[in-house]
Amino acid sequence: QDLQFILDIFSNKVLKLSCHPYGCRVVQRLLEHCLENQTHGLLTELLVHTEQLLQDQYGNYVVQHVLDHGEALHKSRIVTAVSGRVVPLSQHKFASNVVEKCVSNATSVERSSLIKEICQDDSDSVCSSLAVMIKDQYANYVVQKMIDTADDEDLSVLMSKIRSHISTLHKFAYGKHILAKLESYYAKHTLM
Protein backbone atom coordinates (compact mmCIF):
# COMPACT_ATOMS: atom_id res chain seq x y z
CA GLN A 1 0.00 0.00 0.00
CA ASP A 2 2.90 2.34 0.77
CA LEU A 3 4.14 1.88 -2.79
CA GLN A 4 0.83 2.65 -4.52
CA PHE A 5 1.85 6.27 -5.15
CA ILE A 6 4.89 5.02 -7.12
CA LEU A 7 2.71 2.67 -9.15
CA ASP A 8 0.37 5.57 -9.90
CA ILE A 9 3.30 7.68 -11.13
CA PHE A 10 4.59 4.78 -13.25
CA SER A 11 1.24 4.29 -14.98
CA ASN A 12 1.67 4.67 -18.77
CA LYS A 13 5.42 5.17 -18.31
CA VAL A 14 6.51 1.56 -17.79
CA LEU A 15 8.23 1.20 -21.16
CA LYS A 16 10.26 4.37 -20.72
CA LEU A 17 11.21 3.57 -17.12
CA SER A 18 12.05 -0.08 -17.89
CA CYS A 19 14.50 1.11 -20.54
CA HIS A 20 16.32 3.38 -18.08
CA PRO A 21 19.40 2.17 -16.13
CA TYR A 22 17.83 3.01 -12.76
CA GLY A 23 14.18 2.81 -13.74
CA CYS A 24 14.51 -0.86 -14.70
CA ARG A 25 15.68 -1.63 -11.16
CA VAL A 26 12.75 0.24 -9.62
CA VAL A 27 10.29 -1.64 -11.86
CA GLN A 28 11.83 -4.96 -10.76
CA ARG A 29 11.59 -4.03 -7.08
CA LEU A 30 7.94 -2.98 -7.52
CA LEU A 31 7.20 -6.37 -9.06
CA GLU A 32 8.82 -8.01 -6.03
CA HIS A 33 7.32 -5.94 -3.23
CA CYS A 34 3.84 -4.99 -4.39
CA LEU A 35 0.73 -7.11 -4.08
CA GLU A 36 -0.53 -8.99 -7.12
CA ASN A 37 -3.54 -6.68 -7.52
CA GLN A 38 -1.19 -3.67 -7.43
CA THR A 39 1.15 -4.99 -10.11
CA HIS A 40 -1.60 -5.97 -12.56
CA GLY A 41 -1.46 -2.66 -14.47
CA LEU A 42 2.33 -2.66 -14.44
CA LEU A 43 2.50 -6.21 -15.84
CA THR A 44 -0.18 -5.51 -18.43
CA GLU A 45 1.81 -2.54 -19.68
CA LEU A 46 5.08 -4.54 -19.63
CA LEU A 47 3.59 -7.41 -21.62
CA VAL A 48 2.28 -5.03 -24.28
CA HIS A 49 5.88 -3.87 -24.82
CA THR A 50 7.64 -7.25 -24.52
CA GLU A 51 9.04 -7.01 -28.05
CA GLN A 52 10.81 -3.71 -27.37
CA LEU A 53 11.85 -4.55 -23.83
CA LEU A 54 13.52 -7.86 -24.57
CA GLN A 55 15.85 -6.16 -27.08
CA ASP A 56 16.67 -3.20 -24.84
CA GLN A 57 19.89 -3.09 -22.81
CA TYR A 58 17.93 -2.40 -19.62
CA GLY A 59 14.43 -3.54 -20.48
CA ASN A 60 15.63 -7.10 -21.00
CA TYR A 61 16.35 -7.31 -17.26
CA VAL A 62 12.74 -6.48 -16.46
CA VAL A 63 11.50 -9.21 -18.83
CA GLN A 64 13.98 -11.68 -17.32
CA HIS A 65 12.71 -10.74 -13.87
CA VAL A 66 9.14 -11.60 -14.89
CA LEU A 67 10.37 -14.92 -16.30
CA ASP A 68 12.18 -15.74 -13.06
CA HIS A 69 9.59 -14.50 -10.57
CA GLY A 70 6.31 -13.96 -12.41
CA GLU A 71 3.12 -15.94 -12.66
CA ALA A 72 2.88 -18.83 -15.13
CA LEU A 73 0.48 -16.84 -17.31
CA HIS A 74 2.92 -13.93 -17.67
CA LYS A 75 5.83 -16.28 -18.38
CA SER A 76 3.80 -17.98 -21.11
CA ARG A 77 2.97 -14.65 -22.71
CA ILE A 78 6.70 -13.85 -22.97
CA VAL A 79 7.55 -17.33 -24.30
CA THR A 80 4.81 -16.86 -26.92
CA ALA A 81 6.38 -13.52 -27.94
CA VAL A 82 9.72 -15.27 -28.47
CA SER A 83 8.27 -18.32 -30.19
CA GLY A 84 8.73 -18.25 -33.95
CA ARG A 85 11.71 -15.89 -33.60
CA VAL A 86 14.15 -17.94 -31.55
CA VAL A 87 17.06 -17.64 -34.00
CA PRO A 88 17.11 -13.87 -34.61
CA LEU A 89 16.39 -13.07 -30.96
CA SER A 90 19.10 -15.50 -29.83
CA GLN A 91 21.60 -13.64 -32.00
CA HIS A 92 20.77 -10.33 -30.32
CA LYS A 93 23.07 -9.25 -27.48
CA PHE A 94 20.27 -8.44 -25.03
CA ALA A 95 17.37 -10.54 -26.32
CA SER A 96 19.51 -13.69 -26.17
CA ASN A 97 19.46 -13.47 -22.37
CA VAL A 98 15.66 -13.38 -22.44
CA VAL A 99 15.53 -16.39 -24.79
CA GLU A 100 17.76 -18.31 -22.35
CA LYS A 101 15.38 -17.45 -19.51
CA CYS A 102 12.43 -18.52 -21.67
CA VAL A 103 14.07 -21.91 -22.17
CA SER A 104 14.76 -22.22 -18.43
CA ASN A 105 11.36 -21.04 -17.23
CA ALA A 106 9.05 -22.39 -19.94
CA THR A 107 6.70 -25.28 -19.33
CA SER A 108 7.97 -28.58 -20.72
CA VAL A 109 5.59 -28.23 -23.68
CA GLU A 110 6.76 -24.66 -24.41
CA ARG A 111 10.43 -25.66 -24.06
CA SER A 112 9.93 -28.57 -26.43
CA SER A 113 8.35 -26.21 -28.96
CA LEU A 114 11.30 -23.79 -28.74
CA ILE A 115 13.76 -26.66 -29.28
CA LYS A 116 11.76 -28.06 -32.19
CA GLU A 117 11.78 -24.60 -33.75
CA ILE A 118 15.57 -24.67 -34.17
CA CYS A 119 15.68 -28.35 -35.17
CA GLN A 120 12.89 -28.38 -37.74
CA ASP A 121 14.79 -27.25 -40.85
CA ASP A 122 17.53 -29.23 -42.60
CA SER A 123 19.86 -29.34 -39.61
CA ASP A 124 22.73 -30.84 -41.57
CA SER A 125 22.96 -27.71 -43.70
CA VAL A 126 25.46 -24.98 -42.78
CA CYS A 127 22.55 -22.53 -43.15
CA SER A 128 20.20 -24.36 -40.77
CA SER A 129 18.89 -22.60 -37.68
CA LEU A 130 20.95 -24.81 -35.41
CA ALA A 131 24.14 -24.31 -37.45
CA VAL A 132 23.68 -20.54 -37.32
CA MET A 133 23.08 -20.63 -33.57
CA ILE A 134 26.05 -22.81 -32.59
CA LYS A 135 28.37 -20.42 -34.47
CA ASP A 136 26.92 -17.24 -32.98
CA GLN A 137 28.56 -15.52 -30.00
CA TYR A 138 25.20 -15.10 -28.22
CA ALA A 139 22.95 -17.82 -29.64
CA ASN A 140 25.34 -20.62 -28.67
CA TYR A 141 24.41 -19.94 -25.02
CA VAL A 142 20.75 -20.52 -25.88
CA VAL A 143 21.69 -23.88 -27.44
CA GLN A 144 23.65 -24.76 -24.30
CA LYS A 145 20.64 -23.88 -22.13
CA MET A 146 18.44 -26.07 -24.36
CA ILE A 147 20.87 -28.97 -23.89
CA ASP A 148 20.85 -28.45 -20.11
CA THR A 149 17.05 -28.28 -19.78
CA ALA A 150 15.64 -30.51 -22.55
CA ASP A 151 13.69 -33.63 -21.71
CA ASP A 152 15.15 -36.95 -22.89
CA GLU A 153 13.29 -37.05 -26.20
CA ASP A 154 14.13 -33.46 -27.21
CA LEU A 155 17.71 -33.87 -26.01
CA SER A 156 18.15 -36.94 -28.19
CA VAL A 157 16.93 -35.04 -31.27
CA LEU A 158 18.98 -31.95 -30.42
CA MET A 159 22.19 -33.92 -29.86
CA SER A 160 21.66 -35.88 -33.05
CA LYS A 161 21.31 -32.64 -35.01
CA ILE A 162 24.30 -31.03 -33.26
CA ARG A 163 26.43 -34.11 -33.98
CA SER A 164 26.40 -33.35 -37.70
CA HIS A 165 28.17 -30.05 -36.93
CA ILE A 166 31.15 -31.40 -34.98
CA SER A 167 33.69 -30.01 -37.44
CA THR A 168 32.10 -26.55 -37.17
CA LEU A 169 32.11 -26.67 -33.36
CA HIS A 170 35.89 -27.17 -33.34
CA LYS A 171 36.38 -23.88 -35.22
CA PHE A 172 34.76 -21.62 -32.62
CA ALA A 173 35.91 -20.92 -29.06
CA TYR A 174 32.34 -21.04 -27.74
CA GLY A 175 31.67 -24.17 -29.78
CA LYS A 176 33.90 -26.05 -27.36
CA HIS A 177 31.28 -25.83 -24.62
CA ILE A 178 28.64 -27.38 -26.86
CA LEU A 179 31.15 -29.97 -28.03
CA ALA A 180 31.90 -30.93 -24.41
CA LYS A 181 28.17 -31.37 -23.73
CA LEU A 182 27.85 -33.44 -26.91
CA GLU A 183 30.76 -35.70 -25.97
CA SER A 184 29.41 -36.12 -22.43
CA TYR A 185 25.97 -37.01 -23.76
CA TYR A 186 27.25 -39.65 -26.17
CA ALA A 187 29.66 -41.04 -23.57
CA LYS A 188 26.61 -41.74 -21.39
CA HIS A 189 24.29 -42.98 -24.14
CA THR A 190 26.44 -44.68 -26.78
CA LEU A 191 29.88 -44.60 -28.26
CA MET A 192 30.53 -41.70 -30.62
Side-chain angles (χ1 to χ4, degrees):
Q1 190 164 343
D2 300 16
L3 301 173
Q4 187 60 50
F5 77 97
I6 298 173
L7 290 165
D8 294 340
I9 293 167
F10 273 41
S11 183
N12 297 316
K13 297 180 185 100
V14 175
L15 175 62
K16 183 177 180 180
L17 291 165
S18 294
C19 295
H20 185 274
Y22 301 118
C24 73
R25 297 171 69 94
V26 175
V27 171
Q28 290 174 68
R29 296 304 78 79
L30 287 170
L31 291 170
E32 285 174 17
H33 298 290
C34 291
L35 301 172
E36 189 177 326
N37 65 333
Q38 291 178 304
T39 59
H40 177 74
L42 188 68
L43 281 164
T44 300
E45 201 173 330
L46 280 172
L47 293 170
V48 166
H49 299 290
T50 299
E51 178 69 29
Q52 292 165 273
L53 290 170
L54 61 85
Q55 295 182 64
D56 183 77
Q57 66 177 327
Y58 302 111
N60 82 87
Y61 292 111
V62 176
V63 178
Q64 288 183 63
H65 189 275
V66 174
L67 286 164
D68 280 338
H69 306 287
E71 300 291 323
L73 172 69
H74 302 129
K75 293 177 185 187
S76 287
R77 293 261 314 265
I78 296 168
V79 172
T80 299
V82 167
S83 188
R85 304 186 50 239
V86 171
V87 177
L89 291 175
S90 295
Q91 293 175 290
H92 189 276
K93 182 176 182 176
F94 307 118
S96 64
N97 297 311
V98 175
V99 179
E100 273 189 74
K101 291 285 185 180
C102 283
V103 171
S104 295
N105 292 294
T107 65
S108 58
V109 171
E110 291 168 336
R111 182 180 305 108
S112 182
S113 177
L114 295 173
I115 293 169
K116 284 179 173 81
E117 182 179 328
I118 69 160
C119 291
Q120 69 185 357
D121 55 6
D122 183 10
S123 295
D124 295 339
S125 164
V126 294
C127 300
S128 71
S129 298
L130 185 59
V132 167
M133 288 180 71
I134 62 174
K135 293 185 281 187
D136 186 80
Q137 63 180 329
Y138 305 117
N140 81 88
Y141 290 105
V142 175
V143 174
Q144 290 180 55
K145 186 59 72 180
M146 288 177 169
I147 292 168
D148 293 342
T149 59
D151 64 25
D152 290 343
E153 185 180 331
D154 288 331
L155 183 59
S156 176
V157 171
L158 187 57
M159 290 307 213
S160 166
K161 303 270 185 185
I162 290 171
R163 192 175 189 180
S164 64
H165 298 287
I166 288 177
S167 61
T168 303
L169 288 167
H170 284 290
K171 296 176 186 175
F172 297 92
Y174 31 82
K176 291 176 183 148
H177 298 292
I178 295 173
L179 193 56
K181 291 177 187 291
L182 182 71
E183 289 169 353
S184 173
Y185 173 81
Y186 279 106
K188 289 178 188 170
H189 293 84
T190 61
L191 296 176
M192 278 180 95

PDB file of all heavy atoms in Angstrom, residues 115-136:
ATOM      1  N   ILE A 115      12.694 -25.787 -28.780  1.00  0.00           N
ATOM      2  CA  ILE A 115      13.760 -26.661 -29.277  1.00  0.00           C
ATOM      3  C   ILE A 115      13.427 -27.165 -30.675  1.00  0.00           C
ATOM      4  O   ILE A 115      14.273 -27.150 -31.570  1.00  0.00           O
ATOM      5  CB  ILE A 115      14.019 -27.828 -28.295  1.00  0.00           C
ATOM      6  CG1 ILE A 115      14.602 -27.283 -26.992  1.00  0.00           C
ATOM      7  CG2 ILE A 115      14.927 -28.879 -28.923  1.00  0.00           C
ATOM      8  CD1 ILE A 115      14.669 -28.276 -25.848  1.00  0.00           C
ATOM      9  N   LYS A 116      12.187 -27.579 -30.862  1.00  0.00           N
ATOM     10  CA  LYS A 116      11.762 -28.061 -32.187  1.00  0.00           C
ATOM     11  C   LYS A 116      11.902 -26.965 -33.247  1.00  0.00           C
ATOM     12  O   LYS A 116      12.216 -27.241 -34.396  1.00  0.00           O
ATOM     13  CB  LYS A 116      10.335 -28.589 -32.133  1.00  0.00           C
ATOM     14  CG  LYS A 116      10.225 -29.948 -31.477  1.00  0.00           C
ATOM     15  CD  LYS A 116       8.784 -30.426 -31.433  1.00  0.00           C
ATOM     16  CE  LYS A 116       8.671 -31.842 -30.932  1.00  0.00           C
ATOM     17  NZ  LYS A 116       8.719 -32.007 -29.511  1.00  0.00           N
ATOM     18  N   GLU A 117      11.671 -25.722 -32.826  1.00  0.00           N
ATOM     19  CA  GLU A 117      11.778 -24.598 -33.754  1.00  0.00           C
ATOM     20  C   GLU A 117      13.170 -24.510 -34.380  1.00  0.00           C
ATOM     21  O   GLU A 117      13.298 -24.223 -35.567  1.00  0.00           O
ATOM     22  CB  GLU A 117      11.449 -23.283 -33.038  1.00  0.00           C
ATOM     23  CG  GLU A 117      11.497 -22.073 -33.934  1.00  0.00           C
ATOM     24  CD  GLU A 117      11.133 -20.786 -33.214  1.00  0.00           C
ATOM     25  OE1 GLU A 117      10.311 -20.827 -32.277  1.00  0.00           O
ATOM     26  OE2 GLU A 117      11.662 -19.731 -33.603  1.00  0.00           O
ATOM     27  N   ILE A 118      14.214 -24.772 -33.613  1.00  0.00           N
ATOM     28  CA  ILE A 118      15.567 -24.665 -34.169  1.00  0.00           C
ATOM     29  C   ILE A 118      16.041 -25.966 -34.807  1.00  0.00           C
ATOM     30  O   ILE A 118      17.064 -25.984 -35.469  1.00  0.00           O
ATOM     31  CB  ILE A 118      16.598 -24.168 -33.137  1.00  0.00           C
ATOM     32  CG1 ILE A 118      16.860 -25.192 -32.050  1.00  0.00           C
ATOM     33  CG2 ILE A 118      16.192 -22.825 -32.578  1.00  0.00           C
ATOM     34  CD1 ILE A 118      18.162 -24.979 -31.321  1.00  0.00           C
ATOM     35  N   CYS A 119      15.292 -27.043 -34.608  1.00  0.00           N
ATOM     36  CA  CYS A 119      15.677 -28.346 -35.167  1.00  0.00           C
ATOM     37  C   CYS A 119      14.843 -28.744 -36.381  1.00  0.00           C
ATOM     38  O   CYS A 119      15.119 -29.759 -37.006  1.00  0.00           O
ATOM     39  CB  CYS A 119      15.539 -29.441 -34.107  1.00  0.00           C
ATOM     40  SG  CYS A 119      16.717 -29.335 -32.771  1.00  0.00           S
ATOM     41  N   GLN A 120      13.843 -27.951 -36.726  1.00  0.00           N
ATOM     42  CA  GLN A 120      12.893 -28.377 -37.744  1.00  0.00           C
ATOM     43  C   GLN A 120      13.413 -28.301 -39.178  1.00  0.00           C
ATOM     44  O   GLN A 120      13.038 -29.095 -40.020  1.00  0.00           O
ATOM     45  CB  GLN A 120      11.588 -27.601 -37.625  1.00  0.00           C
ATOM     46  CG  GLN A 120      11.698 -26.136 -38.003  1.00  0.00           C
ATOM     47  CD  GLN A 120      10.410 -25.390 -37.742  1.00  0.00           C
ATOM     48  OE1 GLN A 120       9.419 -25.977 -37.324  1.00  0.00           O
ATOM     49  NE2 GLN A 120      10.414 -24.096 -37.992  1.00  0.00           N
ATOM     50  N   ASP A 121      14.296 -27.348 -39.475  1.00  0.00           N
ATOM     51  CA  ASP A 121      14.791 -27.252 -40.851  1.00  0.00           C
ATOM     52  C   ASP A 121      15.901 -28.274 -41.078  1.00  0.00           C
ATOM     53  O   ASP A 121      16.229 -29.063 -40.202  1.00  0.00           O
ATOM     54  CB  ASP A 121      15.228 -25.822 -41.191  1.00  0.00           C
ATOM     55  CG  ASP A 121      16.250 -25.242 -40.230  1.00  0.00           C
ATOM     56  OD1 ASP A 121      16.731 -25.976 -39.351  1.00  0.00           O
ATOM     57  OD2 ASP A 121      16.554 -24.052 -40.354  1.00  0.00           O
ATOM     58  N   ASP A 122      16.491 -28.265 -42.239  1.00  0.00           N
ATOM     59  CA  ASP A 122      17.531 -29.232 -42.601  1.00  0.00           C
ATOM     60  C   ASP A 122      18.761 -28.969 -41.739  1.00  0.00           C
ATOM     61  O   ASP A 122      19.626 -28.182 -42.092  1.00  0.00           O
ATOM     62  CB  ASP A 122      17.867 -29.103 -44.093  1.00  0.00           C
ATOM     63  CG  ASP A 122      18.892 -30.117 -44.544  1.00  0.00           C
ATOM     64  OD1 ASP A 122      19.205 -31.039 -43.773  1.00  0.00           O
ATOM     65  OD2 ASP A 122      19.397 -29.985 -45.680  1.00  0.00           O
ATOM     66  N   SER A 123      18.820 -29.623 -40.611  1.00  0.00           N
ATOM     67  CA  SER A 123      19.856 -29.340 -39.612  1.00  0.00           C
ATOM     68  C   SER A 123      21.265 -29.714 -40.044  1.00  0.00           C
ATOM     69  O   SER A 123      22.229 -29.321 -39.414  1.00  0.00           O
ATOM     70  CB  SER A 123      19.519 -30.049 -38.300  1.00  0.00           C
ATOM     71  OG  SER A 123      18.353 -29.508 -37.768  1.00  0.00           O
ATOM     72  N   ASP A 124      21.394 -30.493 -41.097  1.00  0.00           N
ATOM     73  CA  ASP A 124      22.728 -30.844 -41.574  1.00  0.00           C
ATOM     74  C   ASP A 124      23.334 -29.711 -42.405  1.00  0.00           C
ATOM     75  O   ASP A 124      24.536 -29.661 -42.621  1.00  0.00           O
ATOM     76  CB  ASP A 124      22.685 -32.123 -42.413  1.00  0.00           C
ATOM     77  CG  ASP A 124      22.276 -33.331 -41.578  1.00  0.00           C
ATOM     78  OD1 ASP A 124      22.427 -33.262 -40.342  1.00  0.00           O
ATOM     79  OD2 ASP A 124      21.811 -34.319 -42.157  1.00  0.00           O
ATOM     80  N   SER A 125      22.505 -28.811 -42.866  1.00  0.00           N
ATOM     81  CA  SER A 125      22.962 -27.706 -43.696  1.00  0.00           C
ATOM     82  C   SER A 125      23.707 -26.669 -42.861  1.00  0.00           C
ATOM     83  O   SER A 125      23.374 -26.432 -41.696  1.00  0.00           O
ATOM     84  CB  SER A 125      21.745 -27.043 -44.364  1.00  0.00           C
ATOM     85  OG  SER A 125      22.073 -25.776 -44.865  1.00  0.00           O
ATOM     86  N   VAL A 126      24.718 -26.037 -43.473  1.00  0.00           N
ATOM     87  CA  VAL A 126      25.459 -24.975 -42.776  1.00  0.00           C
ATOM     88  C   VAL A 126      24.599 -23.732 -42.578  1.00  0.00           C
ATOM     89  O   VAL A 126      24.963 -22.839 -41.826  1.00  0.00           O
ATOM     90  CB  VAL A 126      26.772 -24.605 -43.512  1.00  0.00           C
ATOM     91  CG1 VAL A 126      27.741 -25.760 -43.474  1.00  0.00           C
ATOM     92  CG2 VAL A 126      26.494 -24.145 -44.924  1.00  0.00           C
ATOM     93  N   CYS A 127      23.455 -23.674 -43.262  1.00  0.00           N
ATOM     94  CA  CYS A 127      22.546 -22.531 -43.148  1.00  0.00           C
ATOM     95  C   CYS A 127      21.375 -22.819 -42.212  1.00  0.00           C
ATOM     96  O   CYS A 127      20.517 -21.966 -42.027  1.00  0.00           O
ATOM     97  CB  CYS A 127      21.992 -22.161 -44.524  1.00  0.00           C
ATOM     98  SG  CYS A 127      23.259 -21.721 -45.701  1.00  0.00           S
ATOM     99  N   SER A 128      21.327 -24.008 -41.632  1.00  0.00           N
ATOM    100  CA  SER A 128      20.203 -24.357 -40.769  1.00  0.00           C
ATOM    101  C   SER A 128      20.189 -23.467 -39.527  1.00  0.00           C
ATOM    102  O   SER A 128      21.201 -22.875 -39.145  1.00  0.00           O
ATOM    103  CB  SER A 128      20.295 -25.826 -40.347  1.00  0.00           C
ATOM    104  OG  SER A 128      21.359 -26.009 -39.434  1.00  0.00           O
ATOM    105  N   SER A 129      19.042 -23.403 -38.904  1.00  0.00           N
ATOM    106  CA  SER A 129      18.894 -22.596 -37.682  1.00  0.00           C
ATOM    107  C   SER A 129      19.903 -23.018 -36.626  1.00  0.00           C
ATOM    108  O   SER A 129      20.579 -22.179 -36.019  1.00  0.00           O
ATOM    109  CB  SER A 129      17.484 -22.757 -37.120  1.00  0.00           C
ATOM    110  OG  SER A 129      16.530 -22.281 -38.034  1.00  0.00           O
ATOM    111  N   LEU A 130      20.028 -24.309 -36.424  1.00  0.00           N
ATOM    112  CA  LEU A 130      20.948 -24.813 -35.411  1.00  0.00           C
ATOM    113  C   LEU A 130      22.398 -24.473 -35.757  1.00  0.00           C
ATOM    114  O   LEU A 130      23.157 -24.045 -34.887  1.00  0.00           O
ATOM    115  CB  LEU A 130      20.774 -26.332 -35.258  1.00  0.00           C
ATOM    116  CG  LEU A 130      21.577 -26.986 -34.152  1.00  0.00           C
ATOM    117  CD1 LEU A 130      21.239 -26.396 -32.790  1.00  0.00           C
ATOM    118  CD2 LEU A 130      21.339 -28.486 -34.161  1.00  0.00           C
ATOM    119  N   ALA A 131      22.773 -24.626 -37.028  1.00  0.00           N
ATOM    120  CA  ALA A 131      24.143 -24.310 -37.450  1.00  0.00           C
ATOM    121  C   ALA A 131      24.457 -22.836 -37.219  1.00  0.00           C
ATOM    122  O   ALA A 131      25.543 -22.484 -36.758  1.00  0.00           O
ATOM    123  CB  ALA A 131      24.347 -24.670 -38.922  1.00  0.00           C
ATOM    124  N   VAL A 132      23.508 -21.982 -37.529  1.00  0.00           N
ATOM    125  CA  VAL A 132      23.681 -20.544 -37.316  1.00  0.00           C
ATOM    126  C   VAL A 132      23.857 -20.263 -35.824  1.00  0.00           C
ATOM    127  O   VAL A 132      24.739 -19.500 -35.421  1.00  0.00           O
ATOM    128  CB  VAL A 132      22.469 -19.753 -37.886  1.00  0.00           C
ATOM    129  CG1 VAL A 132      22.467 -18.312 -37.411  1.00  0.00           C
ATOM    130  CG2 VAL A 132      22.475 -19.823 -39.410  1.00  0.00           C
ATOM    131  N   MET A 133      23.055 -20.901 -35.013  1.00  0.00           N
ATOM    132  CA  MET A 133      23.079 -20.633 -33.570  1.00  0.00           C
ATOM    133  C   MET A 133      24.355 -21.125 -32.896  1.00  0.00           C
ATOM    134  O   MET A 133      24.900 -20.432 -32.042  1.00  0.00           O
ATOM    135  CB  MET A 133      21.846 -21.235 -32.895  1.00  0.00           C
ATOM    136  CG  MET A 133      20.575 -20.480 -33.232  1.00  0.00           C
ATOM    137  SD  MET A 133      19.101 -21.163 -32.445  1.00  0.00           S
ATOM    138  CE  MET A 133      19.371 -20.708 -30.729  1.00  0.00           C
ATOM    139  N   ILE A 134      24.848 -22.294 -33.272  1.00  0.00           N
ATOM    140  CA  ILE A 134      26.050 -22.807 -32.595  1.00  0.00           C
ATOM    141  C   ILE A 134      27.291 -21.998 -32.951  1.00  0.00           C
ATOM    142  O   ILE A 134      28.269 -22.015 -32.217  1.00  0.00           O
ATOM    143  CB  ILE A 134      26.286 -24.318 -32.847  1.00  0.00           C
ATOM    144  CG1 ILE A 134      26.510 -24.621 -34.318  1.00  0.00           C
ATOM    145  CG2 ILE A 134      25.155 -25.141 -32.264  1.00  0.00           C
ATOM    146  CD1 ILE A 134      26.894 -26.068 -34.615  1.00  0.00           C
ATOM    147  N   LYS A 135      27.230 -21.254 -34.055  1.00  0.00           N
ATOM    148  CA  LYS A 135      28.367 -20.421 -34.469  1.00  0.00           C
ATOM    149  C   LYS A 135      28.272 -18.991 -33.941  1.00  0.00           C
ATOM    150  O   LYS A 135      29.217 -18.224 -34.049  1.00  0.00           O
ATOM    151  CB  LYS A 135      28.465 -20.372 -35.998  1.00  0.00           C
ATOM    152  CG  LYS A 135      28.825 -21.697 -36.628  1.00  0.00           C
ATOM    153  CD  LYS A 135      29.029 -21.563 -38.119  1.00  0.00           C
ATOM    154  CE  LYS A 135      27.708 -21.526 -38.837  1.00  0.00           C
ATOM    155  NZ  LYS A 135      27.822 -21.569 -40.294  1.00  0.00           N
ATOM    156  N   ASP A 136      27.137 -18.623 -33.393  1.00  0.00           N
ATOM    157  CA  ASP A 136      26.915 -17.241 -32.979  1.00  0.00           C
ATOM    158  C   ASP A 136      27.389 -17.006 -31.548  1.00  0.00           C
ATOM    159  O   ASP A 136      27.175 -17.841 -30.657  1.00  0.00           O
ATOM    160  CB  ASP A 136      25.426 -16.899 -33.087  1.00  0.00           C
ATOM    161  CG  ASP A 136      25.160 -15.438 -32.815  1.00  0.00           C
ATOM    162  OD1 ASP A 136      25.368 -14.621 -33.728  1.00  0.00           O
ATOM    163  OD2 ASP A 136      24.778 -15.114 -31.665  1.00  0.00           O
TER     164      ASP A 136
END
